[in-house]
Amino acid sequence: MRAIMSYNSYEDLTVEKKNGYLLLKLNRPDVLNALSFQLVSHIAEAMKEADADDDVKSVVITGNGRAFSAGADIRDMENRSFISFEHRDDFSVWDDMLEVRKPVIAAVEGYALGGGCELAMSADILVAAEGTKFGQPEINLAIIPGAGGTQRLSRAIGRHRAMRYILTGELFTAAEAFSMGLVSSLVPPGQALTEAIRIAEKIAEKSLISVLLAKEAVNFSQESTLTQGLKFERQLFYSLFSTADRKEGMEAFLHKRKPSFSDS
């Protein structure tokens, strides 16, 4: 029998375990869900807990109120120095989120700026509502993106487009983000979370081990040559033939019935 996990509760982040997924909602609406160092650490902690929960197959993250997140909480950084950042390495907590093996789905409405844009881009699937504004406006504060913005935006939309938005601080719409390949799904206003949940529930129907390995294979493609990626994919493919779920999936297909996966 699987153990039932309980999750920590936070004032700045609501955590709800649903049917096959974990819903995280940024809960600082009075400051447009600005990302304090504490909030980011809470997000990483909740994601780590979800990774250890056999009943959770994906994580959905969204914002409470008028924004996904309008960016980093500048009050956390206003009086910081180069030395203090080097010693404390506050941004390393973002690396913890990248180590989450289960899919992360961002449901974005309103604004996703600065750190909020970086948080959305760190997700595996990005659902955005029409009218949402994205951007990396850090240049307006005489700094640059520090949680992956220069790297992920350029990989998603290309170097030249990324240069434009990062060097000018200009915002771009969800429709533009979708056309450039940054956004996975573009939906009507108010529907981002609904669509993200629909995707999460679809993933919940799959075998967990195949979901984990599929994400691992796609992520590997971003850091490898094509030849290396093909070899890695093939080994993961072969390994799935050692699972009970692979046998169940193929038998169900051949007998025209719905599979019943045991995540084994």
Side-chain angles (χ1 to χ4, degrees):
M1 180 180 294
R2 289 175 172 172
I4 299 175
M5 284 189 59
S6 59
Y7 289 81
N8 293 328
S9 58
Y10 313 98
E11 184 176 338
D12 54 5
L13 179 73
T14 63
V15 182
E16 296 179 78
K17 184 174 176 178
K18 301 288 188 176
N19 185 27
Y21 65 93
L22 191 72
L23 176 61
L24 305 181
K25 186 174 289 188
L26 311 183
N27 191 35
R28 303 185 72 204
D30 54 322
V31 289
L32 298 180
N33 299 318
L35 296 171
S36 63
F37 292 137
Q38 177 177 271
L39 174 53
V40 173
S41 69
H42 289 164
I43 295 168
E45 186 176 294
M47 286 185 176
K48 185 177 181 180
E49 290 176 339
D51 240 7
D53 190 342
D54 290 339
D55 295 320
V56 168
K57 294 187 181 179
S58 67
V59 176
V60 175
I61 185 165
T62 192
N64 180 20
R66 297 186 296 115
F68 177 73
S69 173
D73 193 331
I74 302 304
R75 291 171 296 187
D76 275 2
M77 297 186 285
E78 182 183 7
N79 297 312
R80 297 293 297 277
S81 68
F82 166 73
I83 296 298
S84 69
F85 267 122
E86 276 290 304
H87 284 175
R88 292 170 56 172
D89 196 15
D90 303 275
F91 278 39
S92 63
V93 70
W94 288 80
D95 299 335
D96 297 336
M97 289 189 274
L98 291 181
E99 294 176 2
V100 174
R101 297 192 66 202
K102 293 175 181 175
V104 178
I105 307 164
V108 183
E109 300 254 6
Y111 291 96
L113 309 179
C117 186
E118 290 168 311
L119 179 60
M121 289 193 294
S122 71
D124 301 299
I125 299 171
L126 204 173
V127 179
E130 294 171 349
T132 296
K133 294 290 184 66
F134 291 89
Q136 299 288 167
E138 288 90 344
I139 201 77
N140 296 324
L141 303 178
I143 57 174
I144 67 171
T150 62
Q151 304 304 300
R152 291 196 183 91
L153 192 61
S154 59
R155 282 168 168 76
I157 70 174
R159 173 177 173 268
H160 293 96
R161 283 172 171 163
M163 280 287 193
R164 171 193 167 183
Y165 292 116
I166 289 170
L167 297 182
T168 66
E170 292 176 351
L171 308 187
F172 52 97
T173 67
E176 290 171 321
F178 180 71
S179 70
M180 292 186 290
L182 178 65
V183 166
S184 312
S185 300
L186 182 65
V187 297
Q191 294 299 307
L193 182 57
T194 299
E195 175 63 8
I197 289 173
R198 186 193 70 79
I199 294 171
E201 290 176 340
K202 199 75 176 174
I203 292 172
E205 298 173 357
K206 316 305 179 188
S207 165
L208 178 58
I209 185 63
S210 62
V211 168
L212 296 179
L213 295 192
K215 172 174 174 173
E216 188 173 351
V218 174
N219 282 343
F220 189 80
S221 74
Q222 303 301 296
E223 306 292 338
S224 68
T225 65
L226 177 59
T227 300
Q228 291 169 332
L230 290 171
K231 289 181 179 179
F232 185 69
E233 176 191 78
R234 189 175 306 140
Q235 288 304 309
L236 295 184
F237 175 83
Y238 291 163
S239 71
L240 287 168
F241 279 74
S242 66
T243 69
D245 280 350
R246 188 282 309 168
K247 184 177 181 183
E248 166 62 14
M250 290 189 173
E251 286 183 354
F253 176 82
L254 292 173
H255 290 88
K256 296 180 171 56
R257 62 173 174 82
K258 185 175 180 180
S260 178
F261 295 124
S262 60
D263 295 332
S264 62

